[in-house]
Amino acid sequence: MGIHVVVGANGAAGSVVCTELLAAGHTVRAVSRSGRGAPPGVHAIAADATDTGQMVEVCGGADAIYHCALPPMDAWLPTYVDMATSLISAAGYVGARLVYADDTWMYGKVDGPMREDSPIRPVAYKGALRALVAEMISAAHVRGQTETVIGRAGELYGPRVVSLVASNVFAAALTGRRAVWPGDPDMPITPTYIGDFGRALADLGQRAGVGGEVFHVPVAAPTTGRALIAIAGRQAGTTPGVGRMTARTVRLLSPFVPLVREGGELLYQFERPFVLDDSKFRELTGLAATGWDDGIRGTLDWFQADPERTRYRLLPRRLN
């Protein structure tokens, strides 16, 4: 078994990657700025992912490095690019494969299912940053600096996920208050369960013959925001209403709600069909996505484990 380094190991995706790699028998170095919050059984390390020297040191002897780190949303410039630069350099220096946990923001406003060869047309600055970093990582493989592979997820949901969808929808289902969906709740969408994302990244870090490739990780069949809210309510024994976050809502709340201020520019994803085509990954691996019932049950269980989580309210009471 080998040495695998997970950077951003205390986050939603990174923690799943750690658990999967431990189950496969690998030695796991779990890197985060604090050195806390990773699953038990790992070698937890506090380090700055933007510091190439530190990354070279903690990644020594590694077979694979997983870039699951995310800076605070209000600090993406220049931190996110600095992280990528550092991890590409470290992976090249130690001779490890670099696995990048990516998303779909770079595709922009799509007209059909998103595939790995879909045009890169970002319409928001975070999408442009994602496109830049994906290009940096792919280019490192092309020029022979280090082997890389990219796993790309849709809108995430599941335990420990913080987003415009996750906290408000699932906390609302458990309390019976109105759930506020970003954009149009009746548009087709394929969110990615965080467990599926982590499992796919761990698979790509261990699988031969995927260097230089981009893969969309598994998603369940297309659904809608309204359907997800209904399933969550049924499982929680409530009937939450369905509200809608519009561009006007974003403008009103941006000065007061950091998550809306930083995530509101991505509202376009929910105003048209936003469907991920995962056939390339499924045909290669045979791995399927978690179904909506099971994914929502796992998410609700996580919220119920701490009553403070169900008190979360994205919108002020007078607007909710």
Side-chain angles (χ1 to χ4, degrees), residues 31 71 125 176 264 299 312:
V31 181
Y125 98 85
T299 308
Y312 179 90

Side-chain angles (χ1 to χ4, degrees), residues 43-298:
H43 179 200
I45 301 171
D48 179 356
T50 67
D51 186 322
T52 303
Q54 286 189 39
M55 289 299 100
V56 168
E57 182 177 353
V58 301
C59 295
D63 296 288
I65 301 167
Y66 300 79
H67 179 3
C68 302
L70 288 174
M73 290 194 80
D74 60 355
W76 271 55
L77 281 174
T79 307
Y80 199 62
V81 175
D82 291 345
M83 281 182 182
T85 301
S86 172
L87 292 174
I88 290 168
S89 297
Y93 188 87
V94 305
R97 173 183 291 180
L98 180 60
V99 182
Y100 175 41
D102 201 4
D103 64 23
T104 57
W105 297 348
M106 76 291 298
Y107 293 131
K109 296 180 179 180
V110 297
D111 294 320
M114 292 170 285
R115 292 180 287 271
E116 289 84 354
D117 60 355
S118 293
I120 305 301
R121 297 170 178 164
V123 298
Y125 98 85
K126 289 185 182 67
L129 279 178
R130 282 288 197 176
L132 172 61
V133 168
E135 177 59 28
M136 291 167 59
I137 288 171
S138 295
H141 181 89
V142 170
R143 65 175 175 265
Q145 181 176 1
T146 189
E147 186 180 54
T148 69
V149 62
I150 296 174
R152 195 164 281 166
E155 177 70 16
L156 292 172
Y157 80 103
R160 303 181 69 172
V161 172
V162 177
S163 71
L164 289 177
V165 170
S167 299
N168 187 55
V169 167
F170 296 104
L174 285 168
T175 59
R177 64 176 182 260
R178 185 171 61 156
V180 179
W181 185 262
D184 187 341
D186 296 307
M187 282 291 172
I189 188 172
T190 51
T192 303
Y193 184 59
I194 192 66
D196 295 333
F197 192 25
R199 280 188 288 274
L201 294 171
D203 180 274
L204 292 174
Q206 301 171 82
R207 184 175 293 274
V210 295
E213 297 286 339
V214 177
F215 293 92
H216 289 168
V217 305
V219 291
T223 186
T224 66
R226 193 180 303 277
L228 289 177
I229 293 166
I231 295 171
R234 172 173 53 78
Q235 292 192 3
T238 66
T239 53
V242 181
R244 179 172 178 176
M245 182 185 296
T246 64
R248 180 177 179 274
T249 312
V250 170
R251 288 194 299 271
L252 288 172
L253 292 179
S254 289
F256 313 107
V257 185
L259 183 58
V260 174
R261 181 167 60 249
E262 297 300 326
E265 68 172 11
L266 304 170
L267 190 66
Y268 70 86
Q269 295 183 109
F270 303 93
E271 293 175 331
R272 59 202 306 137
F274 213 73
V275 175
L276 205 64
D277 181 342
D278 64 356
S279 57
K280 178 181 175 181
F281 183 85
R282 285 189 291 103
E283 289 168 5
L284 174 70
T285 67
L287 296 176
T290 300
W292 299 122
D293 281 335
D294 290 341
I296 289 170
R297 179 71 270 162

